[in-house]
Amino acid sequence: MKYFFAPYIISIFLSIIVFVVYIYSNENVINIQTNEVFSQYYLFNSNYQWPVVGYNTITSYFGYRQAPTSGASTYHSGIDIAAPVGSNLISSITGTVIYADFKGAGGHTIIIQNGNVEVAYCHVDSRYYPSVGDKVLKGQIIGRVGPKNIYDVENNPYKDKNGNPTNGATTGPHLHFSIKIDNKFVNPLEYVNE
Ligand SMILES: [Zn+2]
């Protein structure tokens, strides 16, 4: 009689284990499905990759604004994303490098083109320029955020309040990011997902 209840206790115990395992395995299935849905959503809704992974603070939006520094446009052709010097720049699209040079108010600039789309990265570090003609893939690192002050451009008209030459019209390191479609600037936030 001593072990009369033993089979019942063991079977209840086993049932609990089976139940817990069932819950856990179901949870995993749900998680995997959520992730798959998420990645599909991401791919289907963003033909453009966010240009600086890990940084998504926008300090200036697309459109009309007060010029933050002399020489900067009151019509802002792109968005400014706060990111420290040296941050990796990611190609938003698969395409070809058509420009890697100093470009006036934009300072050191990289432009990637694919058909009627041009994506530009301004105030970059010229030491990490890709070569014009390079084919790049969406998601590939193509450069780095540049410093505020640069000394590698002759007769640079852009200067800070101390008279030191700057990386175009800029008050500090950041990425100016723009998208042109059919030769017209569009609001990048309507195309890229953070
Ligand atoms: Zn800007």
Side-chain angles (χ1 to χ4, degrees):
M1 280 305 284
K2 202 178 172 189
Y3 297 109
F4 181 79
F5 291 106
Y8 298 100
I9 289 166
I10 288 167
S11 60
I12 288 168
F13 190 69
L14 285 177
S15 306
I16 289 168
I17 288 173
V18 167
F19 182 71
V20 167
V21 167
Y22 172 78
I23 294 289
Y24 267 84
S25 58
N26 243 15
E27 225 169 58
N28 286 338
V29 167
I30 290 162
N31 279 342
I32 289 162
Q33 283 171 347
T34 313
N35 285 339
E36 276 173 2
V37 168
F38 178 76
S39 59
Q40 281 168 10
Y41 173 86
Y42 186 77
L43 290 175
F44 287 148
N45 285 283
S46 182
N47 292 318
Y48 298 78
Q49 173 79 44
W50 186 252
V52 265
V53 170
Y55 297 96
N56 53 16
T57 303
I58 292 158
T59 51
S60 184
Y61 287 87
F62 174 81
Y64 287 95
R65 64 168 184 180
Q66 246 186 346
T69 179
S70 79
S73 177
T74 51
Y75 176 75
H76 197 214
S77 62
I79 52 173
D80 290 342
I81 306 166
V85 176
S87 302
N88 284 329
L89 299 174
I90 311 297
S91 188
S92 278
I93 57 170
T94 293
T96 307
V97 178
I98 59 162
Y99 193 95
D101 206 343
F102 191 76
K103 199 171 192 298
H108 287 304
T109 298
I110 298 167
I111 302 176
I112 313 290
Q113 186 211 16
N114 186 336
N116 62 340
V117 177
E118 282 182 20
V119 178
Y121 299 75
C122 296
H123 317 300
V124 308
D125 192 330
S126 62
R127 292 175 303 165
Y128 300 98
Y129 270 152
S131 301
V132 171
D134 277 358
K135 305 275 184 231
V136 296
L137 294 172
K138 178 180 141 186
Q140 191 180 327
I141 296 171
I142 51 158
R144 295 192 190 182
V145 170
K148 175 191 166 192
N149 293 111
I150 54 163
Y151 301 92
D152 58 351
V153 173
E154 272 186 67
N155 306 315
N156 182 353
Y158 299 96
K159 291 182 170 52
D160 63 19
K161 58 182 191 304
N162 300 318
N164 295 316
T166 56
N167 197 347
T170 179
T171 53
H174 71 279
L175 171 66
H176 171 94
F177 176 73
S178 69
I179 300 177
K180 247 185 190 178
I181 298 179
D182 292 328
N183 223 23
K184 193 175 177 293
F185 287 111
V186 297
N187 183 358
L189 291 180
E190 288 174 12
Y191 293 84
V192 287
N193 283 353
E194 285 174 49

